[in-house]
Amino acid sequence: MEIKDEKLYYIGGVVRDELLGKKSFDIDLTYDGDAISFAKNIKDAEILRINEPFGTVKIKYNNEEIDIASTRSEIYPQKGHLPVVEKIGCSLKEDVLRRDFTINAMAKSTLTGEIIDYTGGLEDIKNKKLRVLHDNSFIDDPTRIVRALKFSVRFGFDLDEHTQKLQESYLANINYDMSYKRLQKELKETFDLNIWAAFDKFVEQKIYKLLALQDFSLPSYDFSKLIEEYKPENIWIIYIGLLPEISNLPLTKAEVKIVEAYNAISLSSDAEDYEVYKTFKNIPIESVIMYSVKNSKLVENYLSKLKDIELQISGNDIQSLGIAPSEKYQQCFDYVLKEKISSPNMKFEDEISLAREFFSIN
Ligand code: CTP
């Protein structure tokens, strides 16, 4: 980013990440004043989009797309929902005071590199602490409780004592009229990290109460290694889907399917391999991994030994044996499959022999 101006600042996550020596996902810039007029006056910049009510602008400069926000203050007329803009072009200090934690409330001058730290973010970075900026922070925006969890596991930080108390007091008196869409975004970002300690804290600190009124205890089996090994597409739902109540979340169809398939699994603890295979083969791998909290041995055995077993014979092969298509085909496949599951190295010819045996062909 080559635009430099005495009123243009890097702000929030990017400043925090640089101080922590971490790579930032996106670069947020704030202009101390009206970003839109500022952008219009940048020589050789192309304005791509203007969002007047928010005072933000997207420009193209030297082939790079850059977002610039105006400093703004916000209020929460409806607690737990999106804030509304109070003033655009407020002071930089007012802008940082609307933010979540001190570590996210620092600005860095694009011109001099000076760090502007009104709230003690530098000190908190040094002490690895997450501290809210005011006592109503979680009441205004309870998604910040999940954000704190996310940052704590991402950076190895703890809540400072007072912030911890504010969290406890909010969780003891939750206002369930909140934006679950926003909450879900934070839950997804947190649990997609696949860090078991996040789930541990989520349960131990009773953060799950934001979703579920019933009590919930931490499963004794840590499935993060299974997730690492089998790389399911949809990680967060493996964690959150275990909660007794998630109907408030605006899940996608695929996520709903994963949770429903998990809830429908019915297997006895001494189920045979064939039954395990039949149960798990046609459901999403996420649901299978979820089931490891109920029976990890069964799931590990399925994933490591049974998952990839497939029959090589097809309907055409049976037809070639002179058998007319009927529902017997499926019975034959099941018969061969049962054998193959106990002898996975079976060859095509062995499968044909078993099919012949099934139809009593000599
Ligand atoms: N913010 C906030 N309250 C929220 C969400 C965001 O105060 N519920 C503020 C924080 O100051 C944050 C900034 O908005 O730094 C940008 O939010 P976001 O992009 O979600 O977070 P980052 O801090 O950039 O973190 P990440 O690295 O996870 O993107």
Side-chain angles (χ1 to χ4, degrees), residues 11-14 16-17 24-26 28 76 96 98-101 104-105 141 143-144 147 150-151 154-155 182 185-186 189:
I11 195 124
V14 58
R16 171 202 71 212
D17 288 345
S24 223
F25 297 126
D26 48 20
D28 290 318
Y76 287 82
V96 301
R98 71 179 159 85
R99 293 170 185 267
D100 51 0
F101 304 104
N104 290 339
D141 181 356
T143 67
R144 287 175 172 167
R147 286 175 65 82
K150 174 177 78 177
F151 295 126
R154 240 167 75 186
F155 306 138
R182 298 183 79 208
K185 176 179 169 282
E186 295 300 341
E189 284 180 18

Side-chain angles (χ1 to χ4, degrees), residues 37 54 76 112 123 159 188 229 241 273 290 297:
S37 318
F54 273 86
Y76 287 82
T112 63
E123 185 69 12
L159 296 188
K188 183 165 163 44
E229 189 170 351
D273 282 357
M290 286 169 79
K297 287 218 166 59

